[in-house]
Amino acid sequence: MPLPTADKRSAFKKLHESGCFIIPNPFDAGSARALQHLGFKALASTSAGFAWTIAKADNRVTIDDVCDHLTAVCAAVDIPVNADFEGGFAVEPEKVAINVARGVKTGVAGLSIEDSTGDAANPLFEHKLAVERIRAARKAIDADNSGVLLTGRCEAFLWGKKDLNLVIERLQAYSEAGADVLYSPGISTKEEITAVVKAVAPKPVNLLIGGASELTLQAVADLGVRRISVGGALARMAWTGVMKAAKEMAEQGTFTEFANGYPGGELNKMFK
């Protein structure tokens, strides 16, 4: 019998109370089930990884696409799922609230809202509007006492605005507006991470490690981070295998890369 959504949300909240955990990012129901099989305690969706599975670029999926995806992933596992809900698929706070309410109904245990506009010339929403969007998301989540955790994201570093003071100011404002978890993808040095953790304490911080890194789970835990996500990294690794084998066939007419494939029998066992 599937684990009730309320139990998943309760477990997710408890994970954020102490320690540090890895929250890997599956890109479909199958990869979600595989990660659960490996013992991870929670998962997070990836906007890019999911978009590639439906032949779209990152940030080009619709609210319908994402809600269908989240529903499928949540139904496939008995552990909590945090949604990469991009910018709420709207600009105006009231529309963000409507979409967040839809997202909550998919069964997620957590949901993030980011402050990027998608416009390189003006990459972040104006401060006041960005805060109002977080406040609207909080109100939508609380409307039915869902218990869903809200993550407030500042995207400044990803858009080349490497101003740590700006990031901290925004994360503190998002915390005051009701964000349960704070997240600034792109910060990477121990100094940056420590500064963010201290600035928003005692609220938990999510750290993105989306590429090869010398940081370890223990090292990140020692910095005070609560959880580590990997964004589209696992999806890119999956595409690496597909593209290497496909290019070999297309360019050489040979099939040697198949020797590196994961055993089909093991996959069947995992999905029984």
Side-chain angles (χ1 to χ4, degrees):
M1 185 175 181
L3 192 67
T5 297
D7 290 353
K8 294 179 185 179
R9 289 171 175 170
S10 178
F12 197 49
K13 184 176 181 180
K14 191 170 183 179
L15 279 171
H16 288 78
E17 292 176 358
S18 63
C20 184
F21 64 100
I22 298 173
I23 182 168
N25 304 71
F27 42 88
D28 60 10
S31 56
R33 184 76 65 81
L35 292 169
Q36 175 181 276
H37 179 76
L38 290 173
F40 290 101
K41 302 301 183 185
L43 307 173
S45 69
T46 159
S47 60
F50 164 58
W52 300 330
T53 69
I54 57 172
K56 292 186 178 183
D58 192 13
N59 304 123
R60 293 294 182 269
V61 297
T62 67
I63 179 68
D64 291 336
D65 291 333
V66 168
C67 285
D68 287 347
H69 169 63
L70 291 172
T71 299
V73 170
C74 290
V77 296
D78 286 325
I79 55 177
V81 175
N82 187 80
D84 179 344
F85 215 62
E86 301 189 30
F89 305 94
V91 173
E92 299 83 357
E94 58 271 22
K95 292 182 180 178
V96 170
I98 290 170
N99 290 340
V100 165
R102 281 190 65 183
V104 168
K105 288 181 172 62
T106 66
V108 295
L111 181 149
S112 65
I113 295 293
E114 59 193 50
D115 59 7
S116 60
T117 65
D119 178 4
N122 187 27
L124 301 181
F125 287 115
E126 183 270 328
H127 181 94
K128 183 180 179 181
L129 175 58
V131 173
E132 288 175 350
R133 285 159 45 83
I134 294 293
R135 188 172 288 116
R138 176 80 270 161
K139 187 175 180 180
I141 287 171
D142 291 345
D144 63 354
N145 298 312
S146 67
V148 168
L149 291 187
L150 174 62
T151 297
R153 291 177 50 153
C154 178
E155 307 289 289
F157 271 48
L158 292 188
W159 286 89
K161 296 177 71 68
K162 297 198 173 183
D163 181 343
L164 194 60
N165 290 329
L166 179 151
V167 167
I168 287 173
E169 181 183 17
R170 283 188 173 237
L171 292 182
Q172 289 175 331
Y174 300 162
S175 176
E176 292 174 6
D180 300 296
V181 182
L182 290 312
Y183 180 19
S184 182
I187 64 170
S188 58
T189 69
K190 291 182 178 180
E191 293 75 19
E192 290 165 349
I193 296 165
T194 299
V196 167
V197 168
K198 288 182 177 178
V200 302
K203 295 277 182 82
V205 168
N206 183 99
L207 177 68
L208 172 68
I209 300 183
S213 173
E214 293 183 357
L215 290 172
T216 63
L217 174 60
Q218 186 59 59
V220 171
D222 290 344
L223 296 175
V225 169
R226 185 69 74 235
R227 73 185 196 206
I228 302 168
S229 58
V230 298
L234 288 176
R236 290 189 293 103
M237 294 304 299
W239 279 103
T240 296
V242 170
M243 295 306 291
K244 283 183 72 176
K247 281 187 174 183
E248 181 192 358
M249 288 189 291
E251 297 170 4
Q252 302 174 40
T254 56
F255 308 89
T256 63
E257 275 297 325
F258 290 161
N260 299 316
Y262 201 81
E266 292 300 313
L267 292 172
N268 286 330
K269 287 180 186 177
M270 186 164 57
F271 295 132
K272 268 189 177 180

